[in-house]
Amino acid sequence: MARRPASICGCGLRIASGERCPCAKRRKAAADAARPSAAARGYDAEWRKLRSRFLAAHPRCEACGAAAHEVDHVQSVAERPDLRLAWPNLRALCKSCHSRRTARDQAFGRGSPIAGRGT
């Protein structure tokens, strides 16, 4: 199987296939450090218990039918914190479908303070 060729990072460094540039690692570390804890974002012990019960009741991804491993909020916790633990606001998704939805909804961080474009 052929390997991907090396790429050039925005900073000008040549990066081997499968590697990350040191500047990208620094940006990720800074973003992670600035991000509130899971509990501060509403994913506390109460959420973990509800998530477990919800997945037991909904074992299949609502999008593709694969085994569900994620519980997604239809309306985000940031938008509607009052619906954080409301079953009608939840749906079971597989990792792939959840990642795809999160990337689309969050536009890969555009508009966030971490990305430097937001409020």
Side-chain angles (χ1 to χ4, degrees):
M1 181 184 287
R3 289 181 48 100
R4 285 187 359 210
S7 61
I8 306 295
C9 178
C11 69
L13 286 177
R14 181 184 167 134
I15 308 301
S17 175
E19 297 293 319
R20 289 181 58 197
C21 180
C23 68
K25 290 178 184 177
R26 283 191 302 275
R27 282 192 308 271
K28 181 173 179 354
D32 288 347
R35 186 175 189 192
S37 70
R41 289 181 282 124
Y43 301 102
D44 54 10
E46 192 176 13
W47 163 253
R48 288 190 300 273
K49 288 178 195 171
L50 177 105
R51 179 187 181 279
S52 204
R53 288 192 311 266
F54 192 84
L55 285 174
H58 302 89
R60 293 280 171 218
C61 176
E62 292 183 25
C64 71
H69 298 286
E70 305 285 337
V71 176
D72 181 57
H73 288 92
V74 176
Q75 292 184 301
S76 76
V77 174
E79 293 172 1
R80 293 292 308 270
D82 58 310
L83 297 178
R84 178 177 73 98
L85 302 175
W87 276 49
N89 189 46
L90 304 177
R91 65 178 148 206
L93 297 174
C94 68
K95 178 70 175 162
S96 177
C97 289
H98 186 255
S99 294
R100 190 171 27 258
R101 178 175 192 260
T102 300
R104 184 190 70 233
D105 290 353
Q106 294 180 1
F108 297 100
R110 281 182 261 150
S112 73
I114 294 170
R117 297 185 198 133
T119 57

